[in-house]
Amino acid sequence: MKLPISWLNEFVKVDDLQPRELAERLTRAGLQVEAIETIGNEPLGDDFVVVEISECVPHPDSDHLHVLKVTDGKETWQIVCGAPNARAGIKTALAKIGAVIPDGGFKIKKGKLRGVESFGMCCSWKELGFGQDHSGIVEFPAETPTGAFVRDFAPGEKPETVFDIEVTWNRPDALSIVGLAREFAAILHREVKLPAVDFVEEDTPVESEVKVVVQDAAKCPRYTARVVTHVEDGPSPELMAKRLELCGVRSLGLVVDVTNYVMLELGQPLHAFDHTKLKDRTVVVRTAREGEKMKTLDGVERTLDPSMLVICDAEKPNAVAGVMGGENSGIAPGTTSVMLESALFECASTKFTATKLGLSSEAAYRYIRGVDKDLADFASRRAAHLLQKYGNAKIAKGVIDVDNRARPLNPDVSLDFERARRLIGIPVGNDAMVFILRALGLVPRQKGDGMLYAGLQSVDFAIPSWRYDLSLEADLVEEIARIYGLDNIPDKMPGAPSISPLSDEPFKARARVRSLCAALGFSEAMHYSFLSAKELDDFDTRDRASRLVIPDPVSAEYAVMRPSLLPQMMGSLGRNASRQLESAMLFEIGKVFDSRPGEEERLALGFVGPVGREALRRRAAVTEEEAVLWMKGAVCTLIERLRAGKLEFAPEEHPSFAPGGALAVVLNGRRIGILGALSAKMRHPYRLTTQMVLCELALKPLVKRAGGAGRVSPVPQFPLVRRDVAIFAGGEVASAQIEKAIRASAGKELTKVELFDVFKPKDAKGGARSLAYALEFRSAERTLTDDEVARDFQRVVAALKAIPGVEVRE
């Protein structure tokens, strides 16, 4: 909303305040001034004042300079000046120290000219930014008051300051000059003056000039029509045209300009019809017929439908109600008879029509947000006043007013003073609250005694017709707080200590997981909680029945709440790799959803490329087994550092992972997730020639023990004894089965079992391979003998031989 300050000043006095102060006050009250623009010359500041030269003597060391004594009536300054017209007794313009000269942009400082101090500068009109006259310093008429600001007596057109104000959806009353004047009046505690609406009517009754029929009272609660039987259309007055231009509206002639002027001034859209073009002098407000067509003022033929409200004559549509007029009945050169429409149209209907037709207009912008319910006739009278004042309009007697508005326009709202004080947090008095609400146009229903409202507990307020947004007590409290000044509410810490019963352990646990993932080399990723059904189907179709589908998504790309973190992790890694990133490691902590409804927090890990290799071996191809083992090692480290418990892995199949390349992650006997290498089919869309491995784990069991204290073991005092065992195992024998057998048979002195070599002979079949394990024996009480270790080792060998498909290599 554009707000010229000179126009605002017609309705509330603000010219005694600087524009920046006005902007600050309005912004603090809730209507943000986004920009301040000055049209014309920049206004001179308070540092430029009218002074009188009380003394003028020649400079002691110059043949053309003078030493002046000037006064503003309160202070006297010494000025060195070289103007030929400088003399005692004249009044001129002084730029004080600190002033910036418009012509040149330099700042006035205290200085010396040929040894004589000067405390300012007497200026010419050119130096002040007005014209090209620099033959001498300014000479004001003798009656000019000394000490006045120079800007008030500068020649030519005064500069105009325009505010660009962001008006929120809940404040349609601020989409007008008068609406903003009401706001400033409340903020500054000043009176509002409404524009003149008086005019002289002819004897001809308006009923003989036009007939109005409203067929849809729900979409058009009120319709007024006033007829101007004769008007002299032509160029608008200079002031009106300039104000329209300052607000971004082009001047098109008096009649059209008046409707735009009143809309900007009062916030009520109007439309002017050529009265002679209305068939049978009839106006019908109805819904459009299916397929009905009309050419709007922008020259485009529109196809209408029964959902749209139109303004018609006896035969055809002439305007889309609340949006735009028709080309055939609009004001054109030679129009002398006008019907003024000022109506109230329903917000939702106007919004639907404007959107469906792809039309936007200043009128629709206001109707969609809500126009003052009681303004139609007042705005019509204001337009009639201006047409008569500037166009010698002859106006038919009376107005046709079809009024079907529901009463009351806005229901009363009760305010409990004590509750308001508790909400605001400061002791605002009852009278102060009533004063603020009165200033905003609210009327108290009860009357106070003596100290006015000090003795009342609550008061009911009648809400003005222009404030759609005030319907609750909280709304009134908010109005009181913002006008009183939110900056006046002191910063105060709570007086009583507050201890939350909530534990911060879950937050610390998540932070611990993030820290560990980062230490392992993973970078955190964050994805949306919803994605497309296609992304899920491409990854895994088995969960279709349990998916949580969004009923009305903003896009098909965000139609399903994610049941897993893996599809998005795969996409992020794949896109990075397809852009020639050699390797990438990502993790994400996020929630997944299903249709129970339910949600669960999970941890996803993923990498692509040779992340576990040193630099000299990064060019060699990464095998599927190698990549899975890297991820397995990361999960083992994570579980160990979180002290989560006993970790196991079991074979598992997944449609997106390579056959035999997926493992179920089992923690303390319960399956908590899956890890695996992506199949070649899934890697193909990203043109991946390396491996991608993904892992997803339930977060809750991972962090269950993260905050607990670990067990402390004494530092070993006795040496360990190492024995290696190599076996040849068939593909059906898992390494976990072998390790379990070793631990069960070795005895309590076995402290560690480590698989350190895997070899697959070329002629091996069915996944058979050679495995080598390192076994460490150590006692916490004594040094073990070779015989004791040999006895335990032989039990291990015997246990391994008993496993079907295992051959011990001796």
Side-chain angles (χ1 to χ4, degrees), residues 416-428 433 477:
D416 184 297
F417 293 120
E418 190 56 41
R419 186 158 51 238
R421 276 187 283 272
R422 288 200 305 269
L423 286 172
I424 297 172
I426 53 176
V428 183
M433 293 189 200
V477 175

Side-chain angles (χ1 to χ4, degrees), residues 260 299 323 512 527 563 606 711:
N260 288 330
V323 181
R512 175 71 173 151
H527 299 100
R711 289 189 303 172

Side-chain angles (χ1 to χ4, degrees), residues 62-170:
S62 172
D63 59 356
H64 69 283
L65 296 177
H66 302 86
V67 180
L68 312 179
K69 292 291 179 66
V70 302
T71 179
D72 66 350
K74 296 179 181 178
E75 294 184 67
T76 300
W77 296 272
Q78 177 177 283
I79 307 295
V80 177
C81 177
N85 63 331
R87 62 191 185 278
I90 68 169
K91 293 183 177 180
T92 188
L94 172 68
K96 297 180 183 180
I97 292 174
V100 178
I101 301 300
D103 183 34
F106 59 90
K107 190 175 184 179
I108 298 298
K109 300 179 181 178
K110 176 185 174 181
K112 284 186 178 182
L113 278 77
R114 297 195 180 183
V116 179
E117 288 186 321
S118 183
F119 298 88
M121 173 179 171
C122 292
C123 304
S124 67
W125 283 123
K126 182 177 185 298
E127 289 163 337
L128 294 175
F130 298 93
Q132 297 298 316
D133 183 10
H134 59 98
S135 58
I137 59 175
V138 172
E139 291 191 41
F140 287 114
E143 63 272 14
T144 306
T146 304
F149 296 127
V150 173
R151 61 174 176 264
D152 296 331
F153 301 93
E157 188 175 325
K158 300 292 182 186
E160 182 67 68
T161 302
V162 180
F163 288 172
D164 189 355
I165 301 172
E166 179 186 5
V167 179
T168 53
W169 270 84
N170 66 317

Side-chain angles (χ1 to χ4, degrees), residues 510-525 585-589 603-605 638:
R510 290 182 186 86
R512 175 71 173 151
V513 172
R514 286 188 170 91
S515 177
L516 288 173
C517 289
L520 289 168
F522 293 90
S523 298
E524 187 167 10
M585 302 175 69
L586 297 177
F587 80 93
E588 180 181 11
I589 296 175
L603 167 68
L605 303 169
L638 195 62

Side-chain angles (χ1 to χ4, degrees), residues 203-211 275 281 396 400:
D203 293 333
T204 306
V206 69
E207 289 81 5
S208 65
E209 296 293 333
V210 68
K211 177 184 177 183
H275 186 225
R281 297 188 176 184
I400 293 181

Side-chain angles (χ1 to χ4, degrees), residues 568-646:
Q568 292 165 309
M569 180 64 73
M570 177 187 70
S572 293
L573 288 169
R575 284 188 294 272
N576 276 279
S578 67
R579 288 162 173 78
Q580 299 180 335
L581 191 68
E582 182 186 30
S583 62
M585 302 175 69
L586 297 177
F587 80 93
E588 180 181 11
I589 296 175
K591 291 184 177 180
V592 297
F593 309 84
D594 59 36
S595 59
R596 286 194 297 268
E599 58 184 55
E600 180 185 35
E601 202 164 15
R602 292 184 186 173
L603 167 68
L605 303 169
F607 66 76
V608 62
V611 295
R613 290 238 181 111
E614 67 274 15
L616 295 178
R617 294 199 307 124
R618 294 180 74 87
R619 295 298 182 97
V622 178
T623 66
E624 180 183 296
E625 183 179 26
E626 183 182 12
V628 171
L629 287 174
W630 287 343
M631 181 63 79
K632 182 182 176 184
V635 172
C636 290
T637 302
L638 195 62
I639 298 296
E640 180 184 351
R641 297 296 174 86
L642 292 171
R643 305 186 188 92
K646 183 181 179 182

Side-chain angles (χ1 to χ4, degrees), residues 219-220 223 273 285-286 294 308-312 318-325 341 343-346 349-351 353-354 357 363-364 367:
K219 292 182 179 178
C220 178
Y223 191 95
F273 293 91
V285 184
R286 61 170 173 84
M294 186 192 76
M308 303 173 185
L309 191 70
V310 290
I311 313 299
C312 310
N318 288 300
V320 180
V323 181
M324 188 174 288
E341 169 194 279
L344 179 64
F345 297 116
E346 198 259 332
S349 171
T350 308
K351 168 64 176 173
T353 301
L357 292 177
Y367 275 125

Side-chain angles (χ1 to χ4, degrees), residues 428-618:
V428 183
N430 295 9
D431 295 338
M433 293 189 200
V434 174
F435 177 84
I436 289 172
L437 295 177
R438 276 184 182 274
L440 291 168
L442 284 71
V443 179
R445 296 296 192 185
Q446 292 88 357
K447 294 182 179 179
D449 297 325
M451 290 296 291
L452 297 177
Y453 297 90
L456 297 182
Q457 180 180 352
S458 65
V459 169
D460 295 335
F461 286 89
I463 308 301
S465 57
W466 59 85
R467 289 305 298 267
Y468 277 72
D469 57 314
L470 303 182
S471 59
L472 304 171
E473 182 183 63
D475 298 330
L476 303 193
V477 175
E478 182 181 3
E479 293 298 294
I480 294 167
R482 72 180 185 86
I483 298 299
Y484 181 83
L486 296 175
D487 53 323
N488 291 326
I489 300 176
D491 297 329
K492 185 178 179 182
M493 295 297 292
S498 176
I499 301 175
S500 173
L502 299 176
S503 170
D504 61 354
E505 287 304 320
F507 302 99
K508 289 182 179 179
R510 290 182 186 86
R512 175 71 173 151
V513 172
R514 286 188 170 91
S515 177
L516 288 173
C517 289
L520 289 168
F522 293 90
S523 298
E524 187 167 10
M526 297 180 71
H527 299 100
Y528 288 124
S529 295
F530 26 75
L531 69 169
S532 68
K534 183 179 183 305
E535 286 181 85
L536 292 173
D537 288 343
D538 289 345
F539 192 80
D540 189 356
T541 58
R542 296 175 301 175
D543 59 358
R544 277 182 180 172
S546 62
R547 291 177 188 171
L548 184 59
V549 179
I550 300 173
D552 188 18
V554 295
S555 165
E557 299 298 316
Y558 309 111
V560 185
M561 301 298 289
R562 61 183 180 185
S564 169
L565 304 180
L566 294 184
Q568 292 165 309
M569 180 64 73
M570 177 187 70
S572 293
L573 288 169
R575 284 188 294 272
N576 276 279
S578 67
R579 288 162 173 78
Q580 299 180 335
L581 191 68
E582 182 186 30
S583 62
M585 302 175 69
L586 297 177
F587 80 93
E588 180 181 11
I589 296 175
K591 291 184 177 180
V592 297
F593 309 84
D594 59 36
S595 59
R596 286 194 297 268
E599 58 184 55
E600 180 185 35
E601 202 164 15
R602 292 184 186 173
L603 167 68
L605 303 169
F607 66 76
V608 62
V611 295
R613 290 238 181 111
E614 67 274 15
L616 295 178
R617 294 199 307 124
R618 294 180 74 87

